Amino acid sequence: MDSLITAAARALATGDPLGALKRVALRDDPPALALRGIAMAQLGDFARAKTLLKSAARAFGPKETMARARCVVAEAEIALVSRDLSFPAKALDTARATLEKHRDWVNAAHARNLEVRLLLLVGRLDEAERALGDIDPAPLPPASRAAYELAVAGIAIRRLRTKAARAALARAEQAAREANIPALTAEVESASLVLEAPAARLIARGKERSLLLEEVEALLASQALVVDACRHVVRGGGAVVSLATRPVLFALARALGEAWPADVSRGALVARAFRAKHADESHRARLRVEIGRLRAELGKVVEVRATKGGFALAPEAGEVVVLAPPVEGQHAAVLALLADGEAWSSSALAIALGASPRTVQRALEALAAAGKVQSFGRGRARRWMAPPVPAFPTILLLPGPLPSD
């Protein structure tokens, strides 16, 4: 590796993409192409970055399998950062195996960390946790350790383990300081804000207030009966009853939970569950059937009693509360994903939500008409984001360890 390539790699390692470009901007040899691609990615020009990295991978000779593998991993990170979830997971897995075969443990761990981040993004927590268990963070350089700890924190946050999340974020902050890369420090700080932002709303006895993640964790560990509108389950007495596939039953449970300890009239329940303005005999008959089904589902956690005016929940002990998302309404799930400040394609949103592309496209068009999201680009290059955008470039993979490593 010549002196200019070494100097450009060092510049990228310290978060100075412009300094790297000054050294290799006019060169077209494979290492220079790779470094230029990573520099462009750090500057936010992902399309140009992907083109340069693909050119570098093609230009490396057939015997330079490790160099090509590093380019593939860099492409995978660009795809993740730009929310292109169509990047082939098999290609990333093959690249990781190649790096492990050549004992490039740092970049192999980085590839594994990318797999974890992708799994986190689409909500596959069990797989993400297993993949993370294969990484030993001890020998990693500071920037890679920070990325590892961010993944640990991401899993802990989604598991509602706030103590573990804070510890991981503290380790990530320490590693970021050691790396001395401003963009990485900003990324850790941004991740830490999740623990200080409202995570849900508590509705109890006719009042409503916001909850932090730690308060949500404490609530779910308490003796209260929780009608969880974030996951569409009812929790109580150590049992969890899922009503995710029974929207009518959950609507009834939530209405009863919000009214507790009072009851809810039959007319109000009909309006809430069936969206009927006026209850006729057929609605009342259907309500009786659905209440019977609700009693059967919730029998282990709470009793549903008939009252003179309607129905009410009757827990054996403790209170009844409703845990609601911080923002509700039509297309709230799409807005929640866009709230990360990244630019998403509609196809990536469909993958993350497990919905059809057409459903997501309709939601985006409705949100755009309401001024809640904005798009740029056209055709397959079109991306969506929620304004304003806190743009922090992530630290992307270098093509290889520095000579002094």
Side-chain angles (χ1 to χ4, degrees), residues 44 83 92 145 226 244 389:
R83 297 303 187 257
L92 178 58
R145 283 206 315 275
V226 181
V389 182

Side-chain angles (χ1 to χ4, degrees), residues 226-235 240-254 297-298 323-325 328 332-333:
V226 181
V227 181
D228 187 345
C230 299
R231 295 173 177 80
H232 290 81
V233 301
V234 178
R235 307 169 184 270
V240 178
V241 178
S242 175
L243 299 176
T245 60
R246 311 289 293 274
V248 171
L249 296 191
F250 186 79
L252 292 171
R254 179 168 178 175
E297 291 287 341
L298 300 185
L323 185 67
E328 288 192 277

Side-chain angles (χ1 to χ4, degrees), residues 124-149:
R124 292 156 61 179
L125 297 186
D126 292 338
E127 293 176 56
E129 208 159 22
R130 286 194 296 270
L132 199 63
D134 293 333
I135 303 176
D136 178 11
L140 299 179
S144 296
R145 283 206 315 275
Y148 169 85
E149 296 296 352

Side-chain angles (χ1 to χ4, degrees), residues 237-297:
V240 178
V241 178
S242 175
L243 299 176
T245 60
R246 311 289 293 274
V248 171
L249 296 191
F250 186 79
L252 292 171
R254 179 168 178 175
L256 294 171
E258 290 178 355
W260 188 87
D263 61 358
V264 183
S265 70
R266 289 168 175 79
L269 289 173
V270 165
R272 186 75 172 267
F274 310 139
R275 298 181 183 178
K277 294 182 179 180
H278 304 288
D280 57 24
E281 189 56 39
S282 65
H283 288 121
R284 285 189 285 270
R286 185 183 175 191
L287 178 64
R288 288 194 294 271
V289 172
E290 298 297 346
I291 286 291
R293 291 171 176 165
L294 184 64
R295 281 174 170 150
E297 291 287 341

Side-chain angles (χ1 to χ4, degrees), residues 63-312:
K63 293 183 179 180
E64 297 175 291
T65 55
M66 189 162 61
R68 291 203 305 273
R70 290 167 179 163
C71 288
V72 170
V73 176
E75 281 187 69
E77 182 157 13
I78 291 170
L80 180 65
V81 172
S82 59
R83 297 303 187 257
D84 177 10
L85 303 189
S86 62
F87 187 87
K90 186 175 180 180
L92 178 58
D93 189 60
T94 301
R96 177 185 54 76
T98 299
L99 294 170
E100 289 176 347
K101 181 180 178 180
H102 288 82
R103 307 180 68 82
D104 183 358
W105 305 118
V106 172
N107 285 331
H110 186 77
R112 177 71 77 179
N113 193 60
L114 290 179
E115 294 174 7
V116 172
R117 289 169 61 186
L118 177 60
L119 292 168
L120 275 175
L121 201 58
V122 297
R124 292 156 61 179
L125 297 186
D126 292 338
E127 293 176 56
E129 208 159 22
R130 286 194 296 270
L132 199 63
D134 293 333
I135 303 176
D136 178 11
L140 299 179
S144 296
R145 283 206 315 275
Y148 169 85
E149 296 296 352
L150 283 173
V152 172
I155 292 174
I157 286 169
R158 287 161 179 77
R159 297 284 194 198
L160 287 180
R161 301 170 185 163
T162 53
K163 186 176 180 180
R166 287 191 184 279
L169 287 169
R171 294 192 296 269
E173 183 182 6
Q174 175 62 34
R177 281 202 300 268
E178 292 176 20
N180 195 29
I181 301 174
L184 182 58
T185 301
E187 191 173 354
V188 175
E189 290 175 353
S190 178
S192 301
L193 292 177
V194 173
L195 295 177
E196 311 304 329
R201 291 176 296 125
L202 177 70
I203 304 172
R205 296 181 178 270
K207 296 181 179 180
E208 179 180 318
R209 67 180 178 90
S210 296
L211 296 181
L212 299 179
L213 202 64
E214 285 178 325
E215 294 173 306
V216 174
E217 182 182 18
L219 174 66
L220 297 183
S222 71
Q223 297 300 312
L225 179 83
V226 181
V227 181
D228 187 345
C230 299
R231 295 173 177 80
H232 290 81
V233 301
V234 178
R235 307 169 184 270
V240 178
V241 178
S242 175
L243 299 176
T245 60
R246 311 289 293 274
V248 171
L249 296 191
F250 186 79
L252 292 171
R254 179 168 178 175
L256 294 171
E258 290 178 355
W260 188 87
D263 61 358
V264 183
S265 70
R266 289 168 175 79
L269 289 173
V270 165
R272 186 75 172 267
F274 310 139
R275 298 181 183 178
K277 294 182 179 180
H278 304 288
D280 57 24
E281 189 56 39
S282 65
H283 288 121
R284 285 189 285 270
R286 185 183 175 191
L287 178 64
R288 288 194 294 271
V289 172
E290 298 297 346
I291 286 291
R293 291 171 176 165
L294 184 64
R295 281 174 170 150
E297 291 287 341
L298 300 185
K300 295 181 180 179
V301 295
V302 67
E303 181 183 354
V304 180
R305 289 180 181 171
T307 66
K308 185 176 181 181
F311 295 93

